[in-house]
Amino acid sequence: QARLQAAIARSHQSTMARLLDSNGEDAIVGKSVGYWLNAADLVSTADLDVKSLGLLGFPRDWPTVYTSSKALKSLIGKKGRCAGKKVGVVGEPLPEEADQVKGVSLRHLQSFLNAAMVEKKTGFSVVPGWAVFEHLDLAVSEAFVAERYWWNALPDGKWVDFTPRPKTW
């Protein structure tokens, strides 16, 4: 019985995402310092709390939705809840860009730490902002979520997101 419990525990530990601190080490409650998301870092136009967000993904009617959706404008428009000065699709790094961060342990859901570690290794500046996702379990263009998110800017100003993305995006 004890061996089975230990094997199950090891199995879960190997499949669960680890939360890292600002030094890239395993976070320890009450001791670690770092940047992590909290409920205020996720804003839903459907007024859903964090536990009720459902399936999220890239806006389905892009780029038309940017000018046609009142819900999206209420989120990131000039007077929106997460008003943006500049809006753009931040792409995944090209192979030659990804090569520059080899050896950096990048983690899902830790864009703050990832962007900071990329800056430390490469000098690519951190860009703080919001990532926008659509509620995929609601009607097209009906509701969106903004997540406080960091990415990097290359020396030429191009934005690049080194944080690993879910395969479903």
Side-chain angles (χ1 to χ4, degrees):
Q1 180 73 10
R3 278 192 234 159
L4 178 60
Q5 288 175 334
I8 291 171
R10 280 192 304 277
S11 171
H12 287 299
Q13 288 172 351
S14 66
T15 60
M16 292 178 60
R18 293 175 26 227
L19 189 62
L20 303 179
D21 65 14
S22 58
N23 295 319
E25 302 294 327
D26 286 332
I28 301 170
V29 176
K31 293 185 179 182
S32 296
V33 175
Y35 299 105
W36 299 287
L37 291 172
N38 64 43
D41 294 322
L42 294 146
V43 180
S44 168
T45 61
D47 293 323
L48 296 173
D49 66 31
V50 173
K51 293 180 182 178
S52 305
L53 290 176
L55 185 61
L56 303 175
F58 189 80
R60 291 173 282 192
D61 195 20
W62 185 263
T64 305
V65 67
Y66 183 67
T67 56
S68 65
S69 171
K70 289 182 181 181
L72 186 56
K73 286 180 186 178
S74 75
L75 188 62
I76 61 170
K78 290 179 184 176
K79 296 181 182 179
R81 293 162 66 186
C82 305
K85 294 178 182 175
K86 180 179 175 183
V87 176
V89 175
V90 180
E92 293 182 89
L94 298 172
E96 59 270 18
E97 296 161 350
D99 286 346
Q100 295 184 57
V101 299
K102 279 189 177 171
V104 177
S105 182
L106 302 169
R107 301 285 179 183
H108 291 277
L109 297 173
Q110 290 192 252
S111 72
F112 305 155
L113 176 63
N114 293 337
M117 289 191 311
V118 167
E119 181 180 46
K120 185 176 181 179
K121 177 160 183 155
T122 66
F124 299 161
S125 61
V126 171
V127 180
W130 296 89
V132 176
F133 306 100
E134 185 171 355
H135 284 283
L136 298 179
D137 45 358
L138 299 176
V140 173
S141 302
E142 180 181 327
F144 299 87
V145 173
E147 173 190 340
R148 195 174 306 274
Y149 202 91
W150 292 1
W151 56 94
N152 297 89
L154 302 180
D156 65 2
K158 175 186 170 190
W159 287 352
V160 180
D161 180 14
F162 290 95
T163 295
R165 300 172 183 210
K167 292 177 183 170
T168 57
W169 294 2

